Amino acid sequence: KDGVILCELFSILCPEIELGRYNKYATLDLWKRDNIQIFANATVKYGVPRSAKLNYTFFENNNVGIRSEERRV
């Protein structure tokens, strides 16, 4: 949820692409959003189309990938 693992994984898998500086100890939502934005921007540099770019709202829910109206209680 904080984007740290995404940034670390990307920097290991694609060291040739400048990731930028991310916050390894993101506790504030602002820092978490920044980390995910840094990762998303790096994926565009890698070649992922902008239309497929992730943003923070994708990770806000505990059930990633399931919209709130689709959750079963």
Side-chain angles (χ1 to χ4, degrees):
K1 280 190 153 190
D2 60 11
V4 174
I5 292 174
L6 292 173
C7 290
E8 289 176 352
L9 182 63
F10 190 89
S11 64
I12 291 168
L13 295 176
C14 304
E16 70 278 2
I17 296 176
E18 179 63 34
L19 184 63
R21 188 172 172 164
Y22 61 94
N23 190 323
K24 292 183 180 182
Y25 305 103
T27 54
L28 299 175
D29 283 343
L30 175 66
W31 294 342
K32 294 174 185 180
R33 289 182 189 141
D34 286 348
N35 286 348
I36 293 171
Q37 188 65 41
I38 289 167
F39 167 76
N41 290 339
T43 61
V44 171
K45 290 179 190 175
Y46 181 73
V48 174
R50 283 198 182 275
S51 60
K53 186 171 125 174
L54 299 174
N55 60 33
Y56 186 74
T57 56
F58 182 82
F59 296 97
E60 283 182 324
N61 298 324
N62 289 334
N63 296 322
V64 174
I66 300 174
R67 286 185 243 138
S68 59
E69 64 269 8
E70 295 176 345
R71 286 190 194 154
R72 296 181 186 165
V73 179

